[in-house]
Amino acid sequence: MSTSLFDLAGRTALVTGSSRGLGHAMARGLAEAGADIVLNGTSAERLEAAAESLADTGRKVHALAFDVTDEAAVVAAFAELDRRGIAVDILINNAGIQLRKPMLELSVAEWDKVLDTNLKSAFVVGREAARRMVARKAGKIVNIASLTSEQARATVAPYTVAKGGIRMLTKAMTAEWAEHGIQANAIGPGYMLTDMNQALVDNPDFDRWVKSRTPARRWGRPEELVGAAIFLASAASDYVNGQVIYVDGGMLSVL
Ligand code: GCO
């Protein structure tokens, strides 16, 4: 089997929400597989530091601060990439937030913020990328789903609805863009050791629950998403479309 199937040399990947956590780990993995990288986040300072930390990969690393929930900012960001002659061959729609609060206490503004950041952004950034990918008759879109794309947990309703939407948005992208040479798929991380989950990791009862509920008996590490990300970003997945790969230590598969 030729390893070039997974070689990303000559490709450029935009990873939203990539100054830290899962996004940064995937950006490093794609760079190590040969891709140039466009990092994104809202803080230019954090992005600069994140870009520096990827210098050892030897790839071109660009840092582009823009708010993925702001349509005008997304359109302007892609116009800026066009101006710089940077073609986004691979899009990882990773930007996301979590908010843990019972629905009875949740405001509409809180609901909208989570849905805008975790779902609408994937459509808006995905649409801008796809407009250019369709013209080039090639492209890879990887949306970041969640176990909550399939099962619910109390206190995270807007996140759950957004991630359920991500699963179906991935299939909708497939329905409309696969014929143009775009493969749209998703990765569903399980319980990963990230800043977003630190409060859960530090909660002994929750920590025990994750370790007892997960067949692998442990939390996942951000870099454990890299294999699936490279597969879905490379020629190895040219006939894979509309799928969600759960990287969850088996949690979804076992009662
Ligand atoms: C939570 C967590 C989860 C994980 C992940 C699981 O509050 O339950 O934040 O949502 O982050 O999405 O797949």
Side-chain angles (χ1 to χ4, degrees), residues 68-237:
V68 293
T69 69
D70 176 342
E71 183 179 16
V74 172
V75 170
F78 276 85
E80 173 60 18
L81 290 169
D82 293 345
R83 196 186 61 71
R84 296 186 197 180
I86 298 170
V88 174
D89 306 297
I90 301 159
L91 168 63
I92 310 282
N93 268 320
N94 168 75
I97 56 173
Q98 179 60 287
L99 188 155
R100 302 186 181 100
K101 184 187 267 191
M103 270 191 283
L104 295 180
E105 298 160 25
L106 202 66
S107 72
V108 169
E110 289 167 326
W111 174 275
D112 288 346
K113 183 160 176 46
V114 176
L115 268 290
D116 286 354
T117 309
N118 294 19
L119 180 57
K120 185 177 80 176
S121 69
F123 155 62
V124 176
V125 180
R127 181 195 65 189
E128 280 318 296
R131 283 173 170 163
R132 293 154 176 85
M133 291 172 174
V134 165
R136 294 193 299 269
K137 298 191 173 19
K140 300 277 182 179
I141 297 177
V142 181
N143 298 319
I144 301 304
S146 159
L147 299 177
T148 60
S149 299
E150 306 279 351
Q151 297 180 351
R153 184 177 86 73
T155 74
V156 290
Y159 183 95
T160 301
V161 171
K163 293 300 186 179
I166 284 287
R167 178 169 164 273
M168 292 315 294
L169 175 64
T170 303
K171 296 179 189 301
M173 288 175 168
T174 294
E176 294 191 18
W177 301 339
E179 65 185 292
H180 301 293
I182 298 174
Q183 289 80 52
N185 292 286
I187 295 172
Y191 279 91
M192 313 299 281
L193 296 168
T194 60
D195 296 353
M196 191 174 87
N197 287 338
Q198 197 55 49
L200 302 178
V201 175
D202 298 341
N203 171 333
D205 295 336
F206 201 97
D207 176 53
R208 239 189 320 278
W209 175 77
V210 168
K211 289 171 179 165
S212 65
R213 185 68 185 72
T214 306
R217 301 283 176 262
R218 66 175 175 83
W219 293 76
R221 295 185 297 276
E223 59 274 16
E224 293 182 299
L225 297 185
V226 168
I230 292 172
F231 169 62
L232 294 176
S234 69
S237 59

